[in-house]
């Protein structure tokens, strides 16, 4: 397969991927809405087991975090609020949770799991 065909195939697959992701988002939305309306987080339907899980994720406010961590060397380590880097700095006790508490908020994310029995 020559390079032009590879580029063409790549483009085609990326278009399919976008279509599939869009359809998955629509289906996920419909299924989680149904769960909310029925007040259930788990159920079985046909040969499938469905589970909706609420997950909380931290999001950091860039400006507030910068103001709370004025040390330029610490800020260079962060460069932008990266949750994984911040978690590592907290775990290593380089920064304290108390020090950045005003720059963090919790975001609730709904996860959908569908397994075949």
């Amino acid at each position: 397969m020559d390079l032009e065909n590879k580029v063409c195939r790549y483009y085609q697959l990326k278009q399919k991927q976008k279509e599939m992701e869009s359809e998955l988002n629509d289906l996920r939305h419909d299924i989680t809405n149904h769960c909310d309306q029925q007040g259930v987080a788990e159920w079985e339907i046909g040969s499938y087991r469905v589970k909706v899980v609420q997950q909380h994720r931290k999001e950091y406010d860039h400006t507030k975090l910068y103001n709370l961590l004025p040390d330029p060397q610490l800020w260079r380590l962060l460069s932008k609020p990266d949750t994984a880097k911040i978690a590592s700095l907290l775990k290593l006790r380089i920064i304290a949770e108390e020090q950045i508490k005003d720059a963090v908020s919790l975001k609730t994310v709904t996860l959908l799991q569908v397994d075949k029995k």
Side-chain angles (χ1 to χ4, degrees):
M1 182 183 287
D2 68 4
L3 188 56
E4 184 177 353
N5 286 334
K6 287 180 182 180
V7 170
C8 179
R9 183 67 181 145
Y10 180 85
Y11 177 81
Q12 291 170 345
L13 290 173
K14 288 298 280 184
Q15 294 307 308
K16 283 183 182 180
Q17 180 182 21
K18 287 178 187 177
E19 291 170 15
M20 288 176 23
E21 286 175 356
S22 177
E23 184 176 355
L24 283 168
N25 283 334
D26 291 344
L27 292 169
R28 181 184 165 282
H29 180 263
D30 292 346
I31 294 168
T32 56
N33 275 350
H34 177 79
C35 290
D36 284 345
Q37 291 170 357
Q38 299 300 313
V40 296
E42 278 186 60
W43 89 98
E44 293 184 9
I45 184 167
S47 60
Y48 298 94
R49 184 174 299 117
V50 178
K51 185 175 184 180
V52 177
V53 179
Q54 296 288 323
Q55 190 178 72
H56 301 288
R57 294 182 182 168
K58 291 182 178 181
E59 291 186 341
Y60 293 90
D61 180 289
H62 182 83
T63 304
K64 288 180 181 178
L65 192 60
Y66 182 80
N67 291 332
L68 294 169
L69 298 172
D71 181 344
Q73 289 190 0
L74 271 180
W75 194 248
R76 274 195 295 278
L77 290 173
L78 294 172
S79 73
K80 69 175 190 169
D82 180 309
T83 305
K85 288 180 184 176
I86 293 169
S88 294
L89 291 172
L90 288 167
K91 187 175 181 179
L92 294 170
R93 291 182 166 63
I94 293 172
I95 59 176
E97 190 81 46
E98 182 66 23
Q99 189 179 7
I100 62 170
K101 69 178 173 139
D102 290 335
V104 66
S105 61
L106 285 179
K107 175 183 177 183
T108 301
V109 178
T110 301
L111 304 175
L112 174 64
Q113 299 173 346
V114 176
D115 298 310
K116 194 150 181 138
K117 292 191 231 175

